[in-house]
Amino acid sequence: MQLTVSDTRSGDTKHDGAVSGTLTSRDHQSTAASRPATEETAAIPTSSVSMSAPSGHSEATATGDASTDPTAAAVADDVHDSKEVVLRRYFLQEWELVSAILGRIVAAGDVAEPADVHRIRSIMDRYQEEGQLLEPYLEDIISPLMTLVRSKIMELGAGTDELLQIIKPLCIIIYTLVTVCGYKSVIKFFPHQVSDLELAVALLEKCHTMSSATTLRQESTGEMETKCVVLLWLYILILIPFDISSVDTSIADADHVGGSEVVPLVTRILDICKDYLSNSGPMRRMSGLLLARLLTRPDMTKAFSSFMEWAHKILLSVTDDFVDQFRSIGIVEALASIFKIGNRRVLHDAVSGIWNDCLVVMKTNIAIRSPLLRKYLVKLAQRVALISLPPRTPSWRYQSISSSLGANLSSSTSGSSSGSTQQVNIDQTDTCSLEEDMDVPETVEEIIDLLLTGLRDSDTIVRWSAAKGVGRITARLTPALSEEVLSSILQLFSPGEGDGSWHGGCLALAELARRGLLLPSSFPDVIPVIVKALHYDVRRGPHSIGSHVRDAAAYVCWAFGRAYTNFDMKAVLEQLAPHLLTVACYDREVNCRRAASAAFQENVGRQGTYLHGIDIVNTTDYFALASRSNSYLTVAVSVAKYEGYLYPFGEELLCNKISHWEKSLRELAAQALALLVQYDMDYFAGHALEKLVPCTLSSDLCTRHGATLAAGEITLKLYQLGFAFTTDMQKALSGIVPAIEKARLYRGKGGEIMRSAVSRFIACISMAAISLNEKTKRSLVETLNENLRHPNSQIQCAAVDALKHFIPTYLVSAGEKIGNDVVSKYVALLDDPNVAARRGGALALGILPYEFLLIKWMPAMSKLCSSCTIEDKADDPDAEARVNSVRGLVSVCETLTSNVEQTSNIGEPIYAFIKVTVMQALFRALDDYAVDNRGDVGSWVREAAMDALRRCTFILCRKDGVAVRTSPVAEDKSEPSNMDANATRATHKLFDSAIAQDLVAGIAKQAVEKIDKIREIAVRILHRILYNQEQFIPFIPYRELLEEIIPNNADLEWAVPAVSYPRLVKILQATCYSKPVLSGLVISTGGLQESLRKVSTSALVGYLQDSNINIIDEGKSRECLLSHDILWVLQRYQKCDRVITPTLKTIETLLSKKVFLNKEGHGDFYCELVNLLGSELKGSKDFTKLCAGLSILGYISSQLDRTGTKAFSQLLTFLGHRYPKIRKAAADQVYLVLLQNDNLISAENMDKAQDVLAETCWEGDVEEARRKRSELNEMAGFGVANSQKSENRQETRRTPDVQNSTDENTSYSSLVEFSGY
């Protein structure tokens, strides 16, 4: 279930999420920031909530007039109904399921199905962050379950094991609701009869003896949950309005009642709770709450004194033991709960002792290591101070008109300014009359010092608890003392303090503001501090800290909006608004952006009259700020158009963001600055550039990098807006790069970053046509050429982009000689021994202008063609160079052909070269399967080649003058589906049927291979070729079949094998495509990836068995056509294990599925297959390949024909193979063959042959294995395989030579190839 709350509720809901980064751990007392929406919203209007009503609701509201809109009726009901009714109507949409499960449990008196408990728990867990949505249902869930628990206790007795097995699943459900909704909401529905007290105590004692089998909540069997539920039940029962001694049935005589001993029932509770105080789980907190309720009863004086003595003894004897740590936490937490709800007069005597114990524990090693213990010590200390101070409501506290937003808005619109002044000046009353002689105990002063120290703590939970303590204690002090506290808090913001102090100080200021203890007269001292905190960011090594401080500062501003009236906040909001929106738009962290936006929204909503406030609130939406780039480039630009925000935004970017430690943020800041130029060109052309130009030579890397980028982006934007640059400005801009080079800022740390920035700067000034002298031009060209040779691909791309703009702007007009030199230089780079230079040279050729390429187009294109195929660069293992060559080649083709019509005498040779040379080079690039330590890097080349083939196809077809297809469907039908197009072929001189067939076949092959990305790209390219709206591609064989397989309007996920293979395997019907497609398909069907192999094999077998598929070649079956294609693949890729091994595995799989078996007409296939297997398996070292070949020989040997005898003869030769595993695999195959085909060996020798196969240790001595093989040859009538022995000897003699010439383990490439990838 998703709940979407609109932004019209004064930012409450937004800020609740926005400040979560700071307020990660809060006390159980809710604050105004925790759930502010519940304070003033009585109902949730459906106009601001997006949800789906349960079924049946629309029917109930639509009764009556048939024309009544059910939705309108529901909205009307929501407006008038109460909050609980609306919640029940819309939320907990699984209520019917939950109600049915509860009904079964209550009816059966037990949980029959454990799955029911897990189902309810999984439903409730979805509401962890919105527990209030479940509150209307709690009574219907809790009451029946607790009633069932109570009845089972009375029926079975509290001490039986049977009872625990029944109630543990029930307690799991109840405790789940406790974790979601909080214990206070749940315990209201527990039974609380007086007679239940002893039953609950007895049950707790029984549970206390249990031990949890696991600490994992998902695997819990209910022990921990049962203990927690019983403790909470006692928490309610202990509030009975009678003396507990009158309830304890174990007291036999009346004399014991007035004795000095503690009531036995209480003693039993105390003993168990003391044990649980050392528990690390939730029982510690539950027992502390129970102790607080029990010991603060009026009749528990003796028990209270006993517990305090025990606590004092334990705290003074704390050690570093693990158990002592949890016990200390439990005791301090319990004492804090006691001092929260206990009687002040009773607790006053224990103040000094408890405070001394706190000081002792605070100095122990346990407290230093445990943030949780420090938090509870701070909490206990502040409550000790509250006991020491008399309770009072300070008359000097600031009081707003009303705590209701609606009342404030109505009074602000109807009341006069004088009335507002009168109300606001309540806090300006003569404070002298409010001064009272107040003796602050020394203990309180020490506690305040402790809290101020806690504001500096390293952990947020401690700082947050200390901030609340400061607010609570300040509320009981006089104005003069409160000013001293405020002064101490402001000292936390001194420059020497750390980020923890700033964060704690912000939290403390927010608490004072929320409680009305921060008077408007203090604003001049407080507001500057808050402004600094909003921008707090301290660099620490490679990162910075301060996001939590900025988040807390936004929380302070949010609290101001809720606490003060419009009269007092008007000037403050005008001062804070620019800073809040600066943070909202430009902060690095999303939680800070959202927190600042929520604070601004809160102030606008509550103050009501802020100029453009609503428009800005709608722009700085919670979701709009989720993306950093959207905040910088869209939201900030929209806000900057309003008066008062442009210059703060500009200064923030210029002073802070362009020198930020994160590289991507500096780049984003430079773009953001450029987008602000439109609002004041003079400001950015003058002030901004004057500030940026000197910063480009800064000693700080971040500053000079950001300044260089920003200067370039601003210059480009000014040019685009029509700004006229003065001569001095152009001179300053043109001198930036030479000055950077002169200062040698490319060297050392950060040199690569500066190279990218300089390249981008050159691109910007080139597009802006900044005037450069000849020396500067040469310098910039040398810089770009140097960056072009850099091994970093990002630097190369930046240099190429700069050259793309620099050359047309400054070099094209320089003459033909310059163009000839530039082209020659980049062509020469393609033969450079430096691989980075080859990569850069290929990219540079692709961006050269038409005027330069026309000078030497033939050498450039020829060199690119030879550089993009691995065959022409056998000694060049660099795949990136080939990828860039392919991309550069197609870019050159497009550049030349887009302008070549102006010189028709040059055009024909160019187009002919593209058809004859370029297309063939790209077809060869489709066969690039190079691998290195990164895997199949050849896939990058194939991907680029497919796209290049598509673009070159469009070039050729466009030249042929094929008309644009206006009605794709109609013309598809009229277009011939085969190659019978002789009538029109003569008019198409460039793109013919041969190219069309090779094009589709090559791309279709990639569409059935094993890489998901390549498959998807290949199908997308085929789709664009088939259905291109601008240029129709003719002569595609079997076009109708392809269009059926790849439909135009279907948005299929081609990367998913289960989607692509069942469709694409049908291409095998087309004989002109079947062979290349099968050569790619076997890579998937015989590959190593199990899931891909299953899907592709299933698709292939399904294609062979599908009777609905029409056979295009009526004379042959699909199996026959497939067998011919398999033989073609084996012949085409002889000794290429990348293809042969998966092909053999595919054949093995097909034979195992009865394909090609028991069919007539496969004799020639078997014969040719056996011959090819003999040459492939001879001398092979690939175990996978050999095993697949042996399996195929075994299948063929089982056939009752002469081919089977030949296959069996080959199979026997492997019984003497040098590899033991191969000998064993061959023996297994021979044994299976003899069981299936008894014609291979005579009947009298069959048993003997089987005994030889079964009893021989084929993995043992090779000579023994070969002797046994000779015996089997004689039994089969083949004679001794002398030829095989001689071959083995020759192979053995050749092995050292092979190892000396090429070590197969010297490269990762051989390993990947050996593994089958």
Side-chain angles (χ1 to χ4, degrees):
M1 183 195 70
Q2 293 183 347
L3 174 66
T4 305
V5 182
S6 72
D7 302 332
T8 59
R9 281 172 42 184
S10 304
D12 294 346
T13 304
K14 282 189 176 182
H15 193 80
D16 187 24
V19 299
S20 59
T22 298
L23 314 181
T24 54
S25 177
R26 299 175 177 175
D27 292 349
H28 54 270
Q29 291 183 338
S30 62
T31 65
S34 60
R35 287 182 182 172
T38 61
E39 294 180 3
E40 300 170 7
T41 308
I44 299 181
T46 55
S47 60
S48 63
V49 182
S50 174
M51 64 199 79
S52 58
S55 59
H57 172 66
S58 59
E59 298 175 4
T61 57
T63 57
D65 187 4
S67 63
T68 303
D69 185 5
T71 305
V75 171
D77 291 343
D78 295 340
V79 172
H80 299 290
D81 288 340
S82 64
K83 172 185 175 183
E84 288 73 15
V85 173
V86 175
L87 290 177
R88 283 187 72 95
R89 180 178 296 133
Y90 289 112
F91 299 114
L92 192 57
Q93 297 179 0
E94 307 88 348
W95 171 242
E96 293 183 1
L97 174 61
V98 174
S99 179
I101 295 175
L102 292 175
R104 290 200 303 267
I105 293 175
V106 174
D110 191 5
V111 177
E113 294 292 336
D116 288 343
V117 176
H118 296 292
R119 192 173 296 114
I120 291 180
R121 185 165 64 180
S122 64
I123 291 173
M124 299 306 169
D125 284 344
R126 301 172 193 168
Y127 295 84
Q128 282 286 355
E129 297 185 0
E130 297 291 343
Q132 70 272 13
L133 303 182
L134 297 179
E135 292 181 3
Y137 303 88
L138 288 181
E139 184 174 5
D140 295 337
I141 300 175
I142 301 297
S143 296
L145 294 180
M146 285 303 300
T147 302
L148 182 58
V149 170
R150 181 176 181 273
S151 63
K152 289 298 180 181
I153 296 175
M154 300 180 67
E155 175 185 347
L156 301 175
T160 61
D161 293 335
E162 181 183 358
L163 171 68
L164 293 180
Q165 297 304 318
I166 294 175
I167 68 172
K168 282 194 292 186
L170 304 178
C171 291
I172 290 177
I173 299 174
I174 297 170
Y175 184 73
T176 300
L177 290 170
V178 172
T179 60
V180 175
C181 303
Y183 76 93
K184 292 181 181 179
S185 299
V186 173
I187 61 176
K188 294 186 294 185
F189 307 108
F190 281 13
H192 46 271
Q193 288 85 350
V194 176
S195 58
D196 296 340
L197 180 59
E198 286 193 299
L199 293 176
V201 174
L203 179 59
L204 181 62
E205 289 179 328
K206 178 64 178 177
C207 296
H208 188 53
T209 60
M210 295 189 302
S211 59
S212 299
T214 177
T215 57
L216 296 178
R217 179 171 176 263
Q218 292 78 4
E219 302 175 2
S220 174
T221 54
E223 290 83 2
M224 181 269 292
E225 290 86 349
T226 304
K227 295 174 184 177
C228 291
V229 170
V230 176
L231 287 170
L232 289 176
W233 192 14
L234 281 172
Y235 178 79
I236 287 293
L237 293 174
I238 211 67
L239 295 177
I240 59 174
F242 309 107
D243 194 307
I244 292 183
S245 60
S246 63
V247 181
D248 191 354
T249 58
S250 64
I251 302 177
D253 54 339
D255 294 337
H256 187 83
V257 177
S260 59
E261 298 181 1
V262 180
V263 177
L265 186 63
V266 175
T267 302
R268 292 158 61 189
I269 297 174
L270 286 175
D271 291 341
I272 295 175
C273 289
K274 288 178 182 178
D275 286 344
Y276 285 151
L277 288 180
S278 59
N279 189 276
S280 60
M283 288 88 76
R284 184 183 68 239
R285 186 187 181 200
M286 306 300 180
S287 60
L289 295 173
L290 175 56
L291 285 173
R293 285 295 184 191
L294 176 63
L295 299 178
T296 55
R297 287 174 55 91
D299 55 347
M300 289 292 109
T301 306
K302 299 174 184 177
F304 173 75
S305 301
S306 173
F307 178 80
M308 297 299 288
E309 292 175 1
W310 174 81
H312 173 73
K313 177 181 177 182
I314 296 297
L315 292 177
L316 291 182
S317 59
V318 170
T319 63
D320 291 342
D321 183 65
F322 185 81
V323 178
D324 273 359
Q325 177 176 341
F326 286 109
R327 183 182 290 112
S328 301
I329 295 173
I331 292 174
V332 175
E333 184 178 6
L335 289 174
S337 299
I338 291 172
F339 274 77
K340 177 182 178 181
I341 64 176
N343 187 291
R344 181 173 181 270
R345 286 189 292 271
V346 176
L347 296 175
H348 193 275
D349 296 335
V351 164
S352 60
I354 292 298
W355 171 237
N356 291 331
D357 293 343
C358 286
L359 291 177
V360 172
V361 177
M362 187 64 79
K363 298 176 182 178
T364 61
N365 292 331
I366 290 180
I368 296 174
R369 294 196 306 265
S370 173
L372 191 59
L373 179 56
R374 296 200 303 275
K375 169 193 170 180
Y376 286 123
L377 285 171
V378 168
K379 188 183 297 293
L380 177 59
Q382 64 185 261
R383 288 175 179 164
V384 168
L386 294 177
I387 294 296
S388 302
L389 293 172
R392 54 179 292 182
T393 301
S395 57
W396 55 270
R397 186 179 64 180
Y398 183 91
Q399 295 180 355
S400 59
I401 297 175
S402 173
S403 60
S404 170
L405 173 61
N408 280 341
L409 292 178
S410 61
S411 63
S412 64
T413 55
S414 60
S416 62
S417 60
S418 61
S420 298
T421 305
Q422 180 181 359
Q423 174 61 38
V424 169
N425 285 336
I426 290 177
D427 63 287
Q428 303 295 337
T429 311
D430 186 11
T431 56
C432 295
S433 62
L434 300 177
E435 291 283 356
E436 302 175 3
D437 292 335
M438 181 179 181
D439 293 331
V440 178
E442 184 179 352
T443 300
V444 175
E445 295 182 359
E446 295 175 353
I447 291 174
I448 293 176
D449 289 339
L450 174 66
L451 296 179
L452 293 173
T453 303
L455 293 176
R456 295 183 173 91
D457 197 274
S458 58
D459 288 276
T460 300
I461 57 174
V462 182
R463 297 194 294 268
W464 182 232
S465 182
K468 290 191 288 187
V470 169
R472 292 174 182 138
I473 295 176
T474 305
R476 298 195 180 185
L477 299 178
T478 61
L481 295 176
S482 67
E483 288 294 330
E484 294 181 11
V485 172
L486 176 61
S487 176
S488 300
I489 293 174
L490 293 178
Q491 292 178 4
L492 297 173
F493 297 96
S494 60
E497 296 287 351
D499 60 291
S501 299
W502 283 70
H503 182 249
C506 288
L507 295 179
L509 290 177
E511 280 298 310
L512 294 180
R514 286 182 55 248
R515 299 172 187 272
L517 306 176
L518 185 63
L519 302 181
S521 58
S522 302
F523 283 171
D525 297 326
V526 173
I527 299 303
V529 169
I530 299 304
V531 170
K532 292 180 181 179
L534 283 171
H535 301 280
Y536 186 89
D537 193 28
V538 178
R539 181 78 178 269
R540 293 284 176 84
H543 62 281
S544 65
I545 58 173
S547 62
H548 58 311
V549 178
R550 301 193 298 274
D551 193 338
Y555 173 48
V556 177
C557 299
W558 179 86
F560 281 2
R562 294 179 67 89
Y564 301 102
T565 62
N566 182 28
F567 179 83
D568 291 318
M569 278 299 295
K570 184 176 182 180
V572 173
L573 182 56
E574 292 177 355
Q575 186 177 355
L576 288 176
H579 299 282
L580 283 173
L581 290 176
T582 298
V583 176
C585 295
Y586 294 129
D587 199 277
R588 179 178 181 269
E589 309 298 334
V590 62
N591 64 302
C592 294
R593 295 197 298 271
R594 286 173 166 173
S597 172
F600 180 80
Q601 180 179 351
E602 184 73 19
N603 281 275
V604 169
R606 292 189 180 272
Q607 308 309 322
T609 58
Y610 190 75
L611 186 63
H612 305 301
I614 299 300
D615 295 333
I616 296 175
V617 165
N618 291 333
T619 302
T620 57
D621 178 70
Y622 178 87
F623 299 102
L625 299 176
S627 169
R628 187 195 301 175
S629 59
N630 188 63
S631 299
Y632 271 67
L633 306 180
T634 305
V635 177
V637 177
S638 300
V639 174
K641 67 183 179 182
Y642 299 108
E643 183 180 357
Y645 300 112
L646 174 62
Y647 303 114
F649 282 12
E651 288 300 317
E652 172 69 14
L653 293 173
L654 289 170
C655 298
N656 298 323
K657 292 302 181 283
I658 65 165
S659 58
H660 197 270
W661 56 270
E662 186 176 354
K663 176 176 176 287
S664 61
L665 194 138
R666 295 196 298 272
E667 295 171 348
L668 200 58
Q671 299 174 35
L673 266 174
L675 293 176
L676 297 180
V677 172
Q678 57 184 309
Y679 298 121
D680 191 343
M681 290 190 290
D682 293 334
Y683 170 79
F684 286 96
H687 172 74
L689 285 180
E690 289 176 1
K691 184 173 183 178
L692 289 172
V693 171
C695 292
T696 57
L697 300 177
S698 171
S699 59
D700 179 61
L701 169 64
C702 297
T703 301
R704 65 174 181 266
H705 174 256
T708 303
L709 288 174
E713 298 293 344
I714 291 176
T715 301
L716 176 59
K717 193 65 177 181
L718 287 170
Y719 171 78
Q720 293 173 348
L721 294 174
F723 183 82
F725 292 94
T726 64
T727 304
D728 293 338
M729 293 176 64
Q730 296 191 48
K731 183 177 180 181
L733 291 171
S734 63
I736 288 179
V737 176
I740 291 176
E741 293 179 344
K742 186 177 180 181
R744 298 186 176 182
L745 296 180
Y746 291 151
R747 300 184 179 182
K749 181 182 178 182
E752 294 185 354
I753 296 177
M754 284 303 299
R755 286 184 182 274
S756 297
V758 166
S759 296
R760 177 57 186 168
F761 178 81
I762 296 175
C764 290
I765 63 173
S766 299
M767 287 185 281
I770 299 298
S771 177
L772 303 177
N773 56 43
E774 292 300 323
K775 180 180 179 181
T776 303
K777 291 179 183 178
R778 290 193 297 272
S779 174
L780 297 187
V781 169
E782 292 175 1
T783 298
L784 293 178
N785 288 335
E786 186 178 350
N787 291 346
L788 202 63
R789 301 169 61 92
H790 200 277
N792 188 306
S793 60
Q794 294 182 350
I795 296 176
Q796 280 188 340
C797 292
V800 168
D801 183 66
L803 283 171
K804 181 179 180 181
H805 302 288
F806 183 87
I807 292 176
T809 303
Y810 299 109
L811 300 185
V812 169
S813 59
E816 184 175 336
K817 182 178 183 303
I818 296 296
N820 184 63
D821 293 342
V822 170
V823 176
S824 300
K825 181 179 181 63
Y826 293 147
V827 170
L829 284 180
L830 296 178
D831 291 325
D832 196 288
N834 181 6
V835 293
R838 295 199 295 272
R839 297 175 190 174
L843 290 176
L845 285 173
I847 54 88
L848 290 179
Y850 171 77
E851 293 82 1
F852 280 16
L853 289 173
L854 195 60
I855 300 172
K856 300 183 68 173
W857 65 269
M858 178 71 77
M861 296 178 69
S862 300
K863 181 58 68 175
L864 286 172
C865 287
S866 63
S867 299
C868 66
T869 54
I870 195 170
E871 291 84 357
D872 296 329
K873 291 282 186 179
D875 57 341
D876 177 16
D878 187 61
E880 288 89 340
R882 298 196 298 277
V883 172
N884 292 353
S885 296
V886 171
R887 293 173 179 169
L889 178 61
V890 70
S891 297
V892 169
C893 293
E894 289 179 336
T895 302
L896 288 172
T897 56
S898 62
N899 298 278
V900 77
E901 301 301 335
Q902 300 173 3
T903 53
S904 57
N905 58 334
I906 302 294
E908 292 299 330
I910 292 176
Y911 282 105
F913 188 88
I914 293 175
K915 174 185 177 180
V916 176
T917 306
V918 174
M919 293 294 285
Q920 295 305 316
L922 294 178
F923 284 137
R924 292 197 302 272
L926 278 182
D927 290 328
D928 193 328
Y929 289 90
V931 293
D932 61 12
N933 57 351
R934 296 168 292 183
D936 185 4
V937 294
S939 64
W940 305 341
V941 184
R942 302 197 300 274
E943 178 183 344
M946 286 190 289
D947 182 67
L949 282 169
R950 175 187 62 82
R951 293 158 65 180
C952 286
T953 297
F954 292 159
I955 290 173
L956 296 179
C957 292
R958 193 179 300 114
K959 175 61 177 176
D960 282 337
V962 179
V964 176
R965 182 169 53 173
T966 57
S967 178
V969 176
E971 295 203 12
D972 283 352
K973 295 180 180 179
S974 62
E975 179 67 23
S977 59
N978 52 31
M979 293 185 292
D980 187 13
N982 296 325
T984 58
R985 187 176 301 136
T987 62
H988 298 84
K989 301 178 181 179
L990 297 175
F991 189 81
D992 53 25
S993 58
I995 295 179
Q997 178 179 329
D998 292 342
L999 172 70
V1000 176
I1003 299 177
K1005 175 187 175 183
Q1006 302 300 319
V1008 294
E1009 290 200 352
K1010 61 184 178 181
I1011 301 178
D1012 294 345
K1013 179 184 176 182
I1014 297 297
R1015 284 203 310 273
E1016 183 175 22
I1017 293 173
V1019 176
R1020 301 297 181 195
I1021 291 176
L1022 280 176
H1023 183 276
R1024 297 182 66 178
I1025 290 174
L1026 292 172
Y1027 302 105
N1028 188 270
Q1029 298 295 321
E1030 299 178 357
Q1031 185 65 57
F1032 179 70
I1033 310 300
F1035 307 129
I1036 296 180
Y1038 301 104
R1039 188 185 195 98
E1040 292 181 356
L1041 173 64
L1042 294 173
E1043 291 180 347
E1044 179 185 351
I1045 295 172
I1046 307 174
N1048 186 21
N1049 53 359
D1051 188 14
L1052 302 175
E1053 296 184 8
W1054 295 102
V1056 179
V1059 175
S1060 57
Y1061 281 103
R1063 285 181 169 271
L1064 297 176
V1065 75
K1066 297 177 183 178
I1067 302 179
L1068 292 174
Q1069 299 176 75
T1071 54
C1072 60
Y1073 303 140
S1074 59
K1075 293 178 176 60
V1077 170
L1078 183 63
S1079 66
L1081 182 62
V1082 294
I1083 304 298
S1084 301
T1085 56
L1088 297 177
Q1089 188 176 347
E1090 181 70 19
S1091 60
L1092 182 64
R1093 185 170 69 247
K1094 286 182 178 179
V1095 173
S1096 56
T1097 302
S1098 175
L1100 178 58
V1101 174
Y1103 158 74
L1104 295 174
Q1105 298 175 351
D1106 190 355
S1107 59
N1108 296 324
I1109 299 178
N1110 296 324
I1111 303 175
I1112 297 177
D1113 190 346
E1114 298 291 344
K1116 299 180 180 179
S1117 66
R1118 287 192 293 272
E1119 289 188 6
C1120 181
L1121 295 174
L1122 181 64
S1123 64
H1124 292 167
D1125 294 339
I1126 288 176
L1127 294 177
W1128 179 88
V1129 172
L1130 292 175
Q1131 294 169 354
R1132 169 71 173 76
Y1133 294 96
Q1134 285 187 12
K1135 296 299 181 180
C1136 178
D1137 287 349
R1138 180 188 65 81
V1139 180
I1140 295 298
T1141 300
T1143 302
L1144 295 181
K1145 293 176 67 176
T1146 301
I1147 298 173
E1148 177 189 2
T1149 302
L1150 293 175
L1151 291 173
S1152 68
K1153 296 183 180 296
K1154 306 301 181 183
V1155 180
F1156 306 133
L1157 293 180
N1158 300 324
K1159 301 284 184 179
E1160 297 181 359
H1162 291 307
D1164 295 339
F1165 169 64
Y1166 291 150
C1167 181
E1168 185 65 23
L1169 182 59
V1170 171
N1171 293 333
L1172 291 172
L1173 279 176
S1175 61
E1176 283 294 340
L1177 300 182
K1178 183 179 179 181
S1180 176
K1181 300 178 183 179
D1182 188 344
F1183 177 77
T1184 303
K1185 179 180 178 181
L1186 289 170
C1187 284
L1190 293 177
S1191 180
I1192 295 172
L1193 290 174
Y1195 279 112
I1196 299 177
S1197 300
S1198 302
Q1199 303 301 305
L1200 301 178
D1201 56 17
R1202 57 189 181 89
T1203 306
T1205 304
K1206 184 177 181 181
F1208 185 68
S1209 174
Q1210 285 197 21
L1211 190 60
L1212 288 177
T1213 61
F1214 286 95
L1215 293 176
H1217 199 275
R1218 55 181 173 177
Y1219 292 158
K1221 288 187 177 181
I1222 299 300
R1223 296 198 297 271
K1224 181 66 170 62
D1228 293 340
Q1229 290 294 334
V1230 171
Y1231 192 87
L1232 292 175
V1233 168
L1234 293 180
L1235 293 178
Q1236 297 175 8
N1237 189 351
D1238 53 4
N1239 295 330
L1240 297 173
I1241 295 180
S1242 61
E1244 60 272 13
N1245 291 330
M1246 181 64 70
D1247 293 338
K1248 182 180 178 181
Q1250 292 179 352
D1251 292 339
V1252 170
L1253 290 170
E1255 295 174 1
T1256 303
C1257 179
W1258 297 103
E1259 294 179 326
D1261 182 49
V1262 63
E1263 296 299 330
E1264 177 65 20
R1266 289 173 177 173
R1267 283 194 297 270
K1268 296 296 181 183
R1269 181 189 63 182
S1270 300
E1271 296 179 10
L1272 292 173
N1273 277 318
E1274 291 178 358
M1275 296 178 193
F1278 298 140
V1280 181
N1282 292 325
S1283 60
Q1284 180 66 23
K1285 293 182 179 180
S1286 63
E1287 290 174 0
N1288 289 342
R1289 287 195 296 269
Q1290 293 174 3
E1291 182 179 336
T1292 304
R1293 287 195 298 268
R1294 286 196 303 266
T1295 300
D1297 298 334
V1298 172
Q1299 290 179 348
N1300 291 333
S1301 60
T1302 302
D1303 185 0
E1304 64 177 359
N1305 296 319
T1306 56
S1307 68
Y1308 185 80
S1309 173
S1310 63
L1311 177 60
V1312 176
E1313 184 178 359
F1314 176 78
S1315 301
Y1317 285 103

